[in-house]
Amino acid sequence: MLSLLLATWVALVNTDRAGAGLAPLQLAPELVSTAQWRADGLATTAPAALSHTLPTGGPFSDALLASGIGFRLAGENLGRCVCPVEAIELALLASPAHRANLLEPAYTRVGLGIAEDPQGRTCYVQLFAD
């Protein structure tokens, strides 16, 4: 089930990028693993606001470095709702900062994570890297 959701989501991301004349992103296993770790963490802190700061106090990019993921440029989009992946993708596109991440020409790789919190909301994570 999760792999089908990830495949659907990466297809949506790449459709959005193609519409902007950009190259598709490759679903990178190392980014998927870290994005899933982030989604699982956000799901366990469900009442808290979403944050790009890790529980350690560092930026999200610290998680990439700790996983040995190389990058010059990285971005993170977070969302939480009771909605399907198609709706979260539309919501991210409607936000200028999130849209900028989705349509950053320098990015070549993406990792996606999805987890459900105790309130039944889905936590969505997109990690991007060049």
Side-chain angles (χ1 to χ4, degrees):
M1 174 74 165
L2 183 59
S3 61
L4 180 59
L5 279 174
L6 293 180
T8 299
W9 200 6
V10 78
L12 291 169
V13 167
N14 283 329
T15 296
D16 295 335
R17 288 180 62 85
L22 299 170
L25 299 176
Q26 295 300 313
L27 190 62
E30 69 279 7
L31 286 173
V32 170
S33 177
T34 304
Q36 189 60 53
W37 174 81
R38 287 285 284 145
D40 292 340
L42 293 171
T44 62
T45 59
L50 296 177
S51 173
H52 298 289
T53 302
L54 299 175
T56 59
F60 78 90
S61 56
D62 283 357
L64 301 178
L65 294 170
S67 298
I69 299 168
F71 63 92
R72 287 172 287 155
L73 182 65
E76 179 181 62
N77 285 344
L78 305 174
R80 182 167 44 214
C81 64
V82 179
C83 63
V85 70
E86 295 84 358
I88 199 67
E89 183 68 9
L90 288 174
L92 293 169
L93 278 172
S95 160
H98 295 101
R99 181 182 187 85
N101 270 339
L102 280 162
L103 302 181
E104 170 55 56
Y107 293 145
T108 58
R109 299 173 288 159
V110 66
L112 306 168
I114 301 171
E116 190 172 316
D117 73 14
Q119 287 76 32
R121 299 173 298 179
T122 304
C123 297
Y124 294 100
V125 175
Q126 293 176 321
L127 290 176
F128 305 95
D130 59 352

